[in-house]
Amino acid sequence: MEFLKRKSTEYILKFLILFTLVVLVNLGFRYQIFRIDMTEENRFSMNDATITLLKNLEEPVYVEVYLEGDINSEFTRLQTAIKQTLEQFKTYAYGNLQYNFVNPDQASSANARNEFYRYLIDKGIQPTTVFDNKDGKKSQKLIFPGAEISYGGKSLPVILLNGNNAAGASEAITQSIENIEYELANAIKSLANVDRKSIALYQSKESASGSVLKGLKDAVSQKYDLIPVQNTARLQNFDAAIFIKPTKDFSNSELYDIDQYIMKGGKSLFFLDGLMMDVDSIKDYGALALPVETGLDDLLFKYGVRVNKDIIQDVNSGNFPIVTGNLGKDAQIQLLPWPYYIILNNYADHPIVRNMDAVYGKFVSSIDTVLAPDITKTPLIFTSDYTRVLNGPIHISFESLKEDVKPENFNKKNVPVTYLLEGEFNSAYQNRLVPKGKDESKRLNKSESNSIIVASDGDLLLSEINKKNNQPFPLGVDPYANRPSNFANEQLILNMLNYLLDDDGLIISRSKDLKIRPLDKVKAQEDKLLMQLLNVALPILLIVLFGLIRFYWRKRKYAKFNE
């Protein structure tokens, strides 16, 4: 027992108890993640849906990011944000996620580098040209702000630079940073989700068909099963239905099917024209744009919106090629602004359209809202500040291209062209007889909480056809631009579907709002010396002062022992 009374034994026992406690605490918190986000906008906090997705991964996810190498400061900011996000992903995935940054320029030869460039472009990761001016030396460089995510033997490209370019390069980078979590998590979910939802693409009543739908099919099929449907009675088998540019009347029975589909919770997206017009129908003397009557107007009116029988012109427009004269035997073709081809770049602050680049519309109509109890109507897309609304029917010809745009005619602004409707919808067949052959006992007069989207442009989801090889361009490509560029039409439909169909709320992470607090360069230059002294000299001075005080305190303390 003398052994237990020894001082050294007491120290050893205390150490063992402390060591055991530390081990137990570590084991207890091994699978617990505890973090405090001290930032005002919670920039380091993740959406619950993202965390749940990462925790439930059954196989490892591999992420290769191609934003590496000699990049400028703005892209370094994006690169840092991607690394921070992936590091958080790695934490929540409990080791089921690995990432790597790859420099596309790091190749043994120019041929190998170009081959790798082609590989990335074929994958869908388009390069961005960056102009830099360092110490007066200007340079131009291709970078690939994208990643490739692999899971379960499949892979998907992710574009990580997708802000609104009209807002400026720096702002577009900031918007891209805000979207990183959503873009990466959405791709992982697309790969990991074995229970794919099915979407009906309605293909009757002279709706859009053929190769112009290829871009839409390519985009949507990455995540959903898109199936052509011609019979409205079959809609009940699908999670969502897309109606694109129908031009013929729906029968009463078909309208009833669509109404009851919505009453039973079916998500619906309508891309409708107010006036019927196709640029290929415009001949030498022009063509007449006439109202489109399909019967869908009656349903939508009951739900709270109305697509007007008009066409919008906007100063913010694309171009169209037109013959302006002849040089000898050769026709002189010139690209001129075509105000019917509208670049839509004015969005609501909503997860569906937030931080999105511009989309391209053709022969767009306006939308009004009407009274509909229990329905919340959210306008998503607007025209610019210089808009003109022409009521139908109207005559459209290429001759108008040669006329100067008169700003005084564009006296309307921010006209809504897309609405999100949410709430409990009242049936258009409430207090009406059901069509012949339909079972009245199964009719629903009111829906549960549901959502539908109505856009007043049937061309938003259609691809342009390349006149040289008769092949469709990807969705959102303007072939008449001086340099063919991609608009965000593909991202628009994917965001719409994700919002309507993803019950876990992953798209809410697009609401992240990062505040950039740039330095006041003038004030920083004026107070440069003071800032340097505070940040460099002051810490050293404090350490020296602490050392001196401690030295004299110890000197006085131990001087008493010598007395």
Side-chain angles (χ1 to χ4, degrees):
M1 296 302 290
E2 186 64 27
F3 166 75
L4 293 175
K5 294 179 181 177
R6 291 179 187 169
K7 206 68 177 176
S8 59
T9 305
E10 180 185 343
Y11 290 149
I12 292 172
L13 287 174
K14 285 182 177 178
F15 172 77
L16 288 174
I17 292 170
L18 183 63
F19 179 77
T20 305
L21 283 173
V22 170
V23 171
L24 289 175
V25 167
N26 274 278
L27 288 174
F29 284 93
R30 184 178 179 185
Y31 296 107
Q32 299 294 326
I33 298 172
F34 178 73
R35 293 181 165 200
I36 299 177
D37 189 348
M38 304 289 285
T39 57
E40 180 184 350
E41 62 270 30
N42 294 323
R43 65 168 58 196
F44 299 113
S45 297
M46 291 206 151
N47 185 4
D48 289 342
T50 305
I51 296 171
T52 304
L53 170 71
L54 295 170
K55 285 181 176 177
N56 293 331
L57 289 174
E58 295 179 354
E59 296 182 40
V61 175
Y62 301 96
V63 183
E64 287 211 327
V65 184
Y66 299 107
L67 191 61
E68 182 67 36
D70 183 20
I71 54 179
N72 65 19
S73 58
E74 286 295 333
F75 280 97
T76 301
R77 194 157 61 90
L78 177 62
Q79 181 194 53
T80 303
I82 295 169
K83 284 181 180 174
Q84 290 173 343
T85 305
L86 286 171
E87 198 57 38
Q88 285 183 287
F89 275 33
K90 193 174 178 179
T91 303
Y92 287 114
Y94 297 120
N96 251 348
L97 186 142
Q98 297 176 24
Y99 69 88
N100 183 35
F101 279 71
V102 177
N103 182 1
D105 289 336
Q106 204 168 39
S108 56
S109 65
N111 284 338
R113 184 191 61 197
N114 293 334
E115 189 66 28
F116 192 61
Y117 281 4
R118 278 193 290 274
Y119 165 79
L120 294 178
I121 293 170
D122 290 342
K123 280 279 182 183
I125 302 172
Q126 298 295 327
T128 297
T129 305
V130 176
F131 298 92
D132 204 3
N133 189 347
K134 189 180 289 183
D135 300 330
K137 185 180 179 182
K138 296 180 180 178
S139 62
Q140 179 179 336
K141 191 174 186 303
L142 278 182
I143 64 168
F144 291 83
E148 186 176 357
I149 298 181
S150 303
Y151 179 89
K154 299 178 290 183
S155 67
L156 267 183
V158 181
I159 307 302
L160 297 169
L161 179 65
N162 49 22
N164 192 329
N165 288 321
S170 181
E171 184 63 23
I173 294 280
T174 301
Q175 292 174 353
S176 300
I177 292 172
E178 292 172 347
N179 290 341
I180 288 173
E181 179 189 336
Y182 172 74
E183 297 296 339
L184 292 172
N186 190 43
I188 293 172
K189 183 177 179 181
S190 299
L191 293 168
N193 186 15
V194 293
D195 185 20
R196 289 164 62 95
K197 295 194 174 179
S198 58
I199 299 168
L201 178 60
Y202 187 71
Q203 296 261 266
S204 188
K205 303 301 171 188
E206 295 188 1
S207 299
S209 61
S211 56
V212 292
L213 294 172
K214 186 176 186 307
L216 171 68
K217 292 176 180 175
D218 289 346
V220 174
S221 59
Q222 293 178 15
K223 187 171 181 180
Y224 304 102
D225 293 327
L226 186 66
I227 300 169
V229 171
Q230 295 186 329
N231 187 345
T232 52
R234 288 191 58 208
L235 293 179
Q236 302 294 343
N237 302 322
F238 294 88
D239 299 296
I242 304 177
F243 299 84
I244 303 177
K245 209 174 178 177
T247 55
K248 285 187 68 177
D249 262 343
F250 285 79
S251 69
N252 193 30
S253 177
E254 290 168 328
L255 291 173
Y256 180 78
D257 288 338
I258 297 169
D259 176 79
Q260 289 301 294
Y261 173 65
I262 293 171
M263 292 306 111
K264 292 176 182 175
K267 314 296 183 185
S268 301
L269 301 96
F270 297 92
F271 294 83
L272 309 175
D273 283 343
L275 297 183
M276 190 185 305
M277 176 50 59
D278 189 329
V279 71
D280 291 334
S281 66
I282 303 174
K283 306 299 179 187
D284 293 341
Y285 298 100
L288 200 60
L290 297 171
V292 179
E293 303 292 349
T294 63
L296 289 173
D297 295 343
D298 295 338
L299 296 187
L300 298 180
F301 191 87
K302 184 71 176 179
Y303 304 151
V305 296
R306 175 177 59 202
V307 176
N308 294 317
K309 307 302 179 188
D310 56 28
I311 284 184
I312 293 172
Q313 289 186 338
D314 200 288
V315 170
N316 192 22
S317 67
N319 296 323
F320 192 81
I322 186 172
V323 177
T324 54
N326 291 292
L327 184 61
K329 295 180 180 179
D330 299 327
Q332 296 297 297
I333 299 176
Q334 190 176 352
L335 284 174
L336 296 174
W338 183 233
Y340 295 105
Y341 283 12
I342 303 178
I343 297 173
L344 297 160
N345 198 27
N346 189 6
Y347 299 119
D349 187 14
H350 190 276
I352 292 178
V353 288
R354 193 167 185 276
N355 292 343
M356 243 180 49
D357 207 352
V359 296
Y360 202 38
K362 298 170 186 172
F363 304 112
V364 184
S365 298
S366 64
I367 299 183
D368 283 337
T369 57
V370 293
L371 180 64
D374 305 322
I375 299 299
T376 302
K377 312 172 194 84
T378 307
L380 297 176
I381 307 177
F382 307 86
T383 60
S384 77
D385 290 345
Y386 301 96
T387 302
R388 184 183 189 187
V389 179
L390 304 173
N391 292 318
I394 60 172
H395 180 260
I396 296 176
S397 73
F398 293 130
E399 286 302 309
S400 62
L401 281 164
K402 301 175 184 176
E403 299 172 0
D404 292 333
V405 173
K406 297 179 180 176
E408 61 269 23
N409 291 334
F410 293 78
N411 53 7
K412 291 186 179 297
K413 64 179 182 179
N414 304 335
V415 177
V417 296
T418 302
Y419 265 93
L420 165 69
L421 307 179
E422 296 176 290
E424 297 177 356
F425 293 88
N426 288 314
S427 169
Y429 284 84
Q430 190 177 21
N431 304 321
R432 290 172 57 184
L433 292 175
V434 301
K436 189 177 179 181
K438 303 295 181 184
D439 187 351
E440 186 170 2
S441 65
K442 295 182 179 177
R443 179 180 65 185
L444 292 180
N445 290 324
K446 197 176 186 69
S447 75
E448 297 293 328
S449 182
N450 198 2
S451 308
I452 65 175
I453 291 175
V454 182
S456 53
D457 180 16
D459 295 285
L460 272 177
L461 303 186
L462 304 185
S463 297
E464 285 283 348
I465 302 297
N466 189 335
K467 304 295 184 186
K468 295 179 181 176
N469 57 17
N470 210 31
Q471 295 297 312
F473 285 105
L475 186 59
V477 169
D478 172 17
Y480 302 124
N482 291 325
R483 183 179 177 186
S485 56
N486 280 46
F487 287 89
N489 298 48
E490 179 179 320
Q491 187 184 0
L492 176 66
I493 182 60
L494 289 175
N495 287 355
M496 286 176 168
L497 289 171
N498 291 343
Y499 183 84
L500 295 181
L501 293 175
D502 284 358
D503 301 330
D504 53 16
L506 189 64
I507 197 170
I508 302 302
S509 59
R510 280 179 55 82
S511 302
K512 188 172 282 189
D513 185 12
L514 303 185
K515 293 179 182 176
I516 304 301
R517 300 171 175 85
L519 288 174
D520 184 335
K521 293 183 179 178
V522 175
K523 192 171 179 58
Q525 189 63 32
E526 289 175 350
D527 299 335
K528 184 178 178 180
L529 180 60
L530 178 62
M531 292 296 114
Q532 287 175 334
L533 289 174
L534 287 175
N535 286 282
V536 179
L538 183 60
I540 297 173
L541 185 63
L542 289 174
I543 291 172
V544 171
L545 188 61
F546 173 77
L548 289 173
I549 292 173
R550 189 168 185 271
F551 170 75
Y552 283 110
W553 174 76
R554 286 172 61 85
K555 188 176 178 182
R556 287 191 58 185
K557 178 180 178 182
Y558 291 107
K560 294 177 182 176
F561 290 103
N562 296 328
E563 291 175 354

